[in-house]
Amino acid sequence: GRERPSMTQTGTFRQGLARIALLGGLALLAACAPQMRFHGFAPSDSELAQIQVGRDTRDTVSERLGRPGMGGVLEGSDWFWVQSDWRHEHWRPAVEVDRQVVAISFDNANRVANIERFGLRDGQVVPLSRRVTDMGTRPGVLSQVFRVLGQFSPGLADNAR
């Protein structure tokens, strides 16, 4: 009848199966690893260091940092840059792990009056850094910004593409 496979053929076959199983296991493990997604943009501290309070204007800020996205600027108002970092794990809903808001306000002569960076800590808005000449009505404005951004969902951004 038929010839039986030799031990070297059987060993090679088993090694091949073991490699396939190992690669499949690694692929499955990689699929289970948390995925990070980053939405928006907030200038870095080194970029903000180039902006001088009381000296720079809307135009020079725009040249150095670019203008904020459509929701970050209204005619004659402060400018806001927002960045959110989301962690996606398996089948669970995405979790926001960090949010940074950079706010630059301008005086009546369109010169930079305040540069502030805010974040979230335990669900509360907290200042992370601040270079200001006048506090004005900042907390109320930022509370509104964070309230609106709190309604943001990474699924909304994914669907908008």
Side-chain angles (χ1 to χ4, degrees), residues 1-14:
R2 288 184 21 188
E3 284 185 38
R4 292 189 67 185
S6 70
M7 287 302 282
T8 56
Q9 289 174 330
T10 303
T12 304
F13 180 73
R14 285 184 180 158

Short mmCIF file of all heavy atoms in Angstrom, two decimals, residues 1-14:
data_model
loop_
_atom_site.label_atom_id
_atom_site.label_comp_id
_atom_site.label_asym_id
_atom_site.label_seq_id
_atom_site.Cartn_x
_atom_site.Cartn_y
_atom_site.Cartn_z
N GLY A 1 0.71 -1.16 0.00
CA GLY A 1 0.00 0.00 0.00
C GLY A 1 0.78 1.28 0.00
O GLY A 1 1.73 1.49 -0.71
N ARG A 2 0.27 2.07 0.85
CA ARG A 2 0.80 3.44 0.92
C ARG A 2 1.99 3.52 1.85
O ARG A 2 2.05 2.82 2.86
CB ARG A 2 -0.28 4.37 1.44
CG ARG A 2 -1.34 4.59 0.41
CD ARG A 2 -2.40 5.57 0.81
NE ARG A 2 -2.03 6.50 1.87
CZ ARG A 2 -2.86 7.32 2.45
NH1 ARG A 2 -4.12 7.31 2.10
NH2 ARG A 2 -2.48 8.14 3.38
N GLU A 3 2.89 4.44 1.52
CA GLU A 3 4.05 4.63 2.38
C GLU A 3 3.69 5.56 3.52
O GLU A 3 2.96 6.52 3.34
CB GLU A 3 5.20 5.27 1.60
CG GLU A 3 5.92 4.32 0.69
CD GLU A 3 7.11 5.01 0.06
OE1 GLU A 3 7.78 5.81 0.75
OE2 GLU A 3 7.35 4.76 -1.11
N ARG A 4 4.21 5.23 4.67
CA ARG A 4 4.00 6.11 5.82
C ARG A 4 5.01 7.24 5.74
O ARG A 4 6.15 7.04 5.31
CB ARG A 4 4.23 5.33 7.10
CG ARG A 4 3.15 4.27 7.30
CD ARG A 4 3.26 3.66 8.64
NE ARG A 4 2.93 4.68 9.64
CZ ARG A 4 3.02 4.50 10.94
NH1 ARG A 4 3.45 3.36 11.41
NH2 ARG A 4 2.71 5.44 11.79
N PRO A 5 4.62 8.47 6.17
CA PRO A 5 5.58 9.58 6.16
C PRO A 5 6.74 9.28 7.10
O PRO A 5 6.56 8.66 8.14
CB PRO A 5 4.80 10.79 6.65
CG PRO A 5 3.38 10.35 6.83
CD PRO A 5 3.33 8.87 6.68
N SER A 6 7.91 9.74 6.71
CA SER A 6 9.08 9.52 7.56
C SER A 6 8.99 10.45 8.77
O SER A 6 8.22 11.40 8.82
CB SER A 6 10.36 9.80 6.77
OG SER A 6 10.46 11.18 6.52
N MET A 7 9.83 10.18 9.77
CA MET A 7 9.84 10.99 10.98
C MET A 7 10.24 12.43 10.68
O MET A 7 9.74 13.35 11.30
CB MET A 7 10.81 10.37 12.00
CG MET A 7 10.29 9.09 12.64
SD MET A 7 8.72 9.33 13.46
CE MET A 7 9.27 10.10 14.96
N THR A 8 11.14 12.63 9.71
CA THR A 8 11.55 14.00 9.39
C THR A 8 10.40 14.76 8.73
O THR A 8 10.20 15.93 8.99
CB THR A 8 12.78 14.01 8.47
OG1 THR A 8 12.51 13.26 7.30
CG2 THR A 8 14.00 13.48 9.18
N GLN A 9 9.59 14.07 7.90
CA GLN A 9 8.44 14.74 7.29
C GLN A 9 7.39 15.08 8.36
O GLN A 9 6.82 16.16 8.36
CB GLN A 9 7.81 13.86 6.21
CG GLN A 9 8.65 13.73 4.97
CD GLN A 9 8.04 12.73 3.99
OE1 GLN A 9 7.37 11.78 4.39
NE2 GLN A 9 8.30 12.95 2.71
N THR A 10 7.15 14.17 9.28
CA THR A 10 6.17 14.39 10.34
C THR A 10 6.65 15.51 11.25
O THR A 10 5.87 16.39 11.64
CB THR A 10 5.96 13.09 11.15
OG1 THR A 10 5.55 12.06 10.26
CG2 THR A 10 4.92 13.29 12.23
N GLY A 11 7.95 15.52 11.59
CA GLY A 11 8.51 16.58 12.43
C GLY A 11 8.41 17.94 11.77
O GLY A 11 8.07 18.94 12.41
N THR A 12 8.69 18.00 10.47
CA THR A 12 8.59 19.26 9.73
C THR A 12 7.15 19.75 9.70
O THR A 12 6.87 20.92 9.87
CB THR A 12 9.14 19.09 8.30
OG1 THR A 12 10.47 18.60 8.37
CG2 THR A 12 9.10 20.39 7.54
N PHE A 13 6.22 18.81 9.50
CA PHE A 13 4.80 19.14 9.48
C PHE A 13 4.36 19.71 10.83
O PHE A 13 3.67 20.72 10.91
CB PHE A 13 3.98 17.90 9.11
CG PHE A 13 2.50 18.16 9.07
CD1 PHE A 13 1.95 18.88 8.02
CD2 PHE A 13 1.67 17.68 10.08
CE1 PHE A 13 0.58 19.13 7.99
CE2 PHE A 13 0.32 17.92 10.04
CZ PHE A 13 -0.23 18.65 9.00
N ARG A 14 4.80 19.08 11.92
CA ARG A 14 4.45 19.53 13.27
C ARG A 14 5.07 20.90 13.56
O ARG A 14 4.43 21.74 14.18
CB ARG A 14 4.91 18.51 14.31
CG ARG A 14 4.03 17.30 14.34
CD ARG A 14 4.43 16.37 15.43
NE ARG A 14 3.56 15.20 15.43
CZ ARG A 14 3.88 14.06 15.96
NH1 ARG A 14 5.07 13.90 16.53
NH2 ARG A 14 3.04 13.06 15.92
#
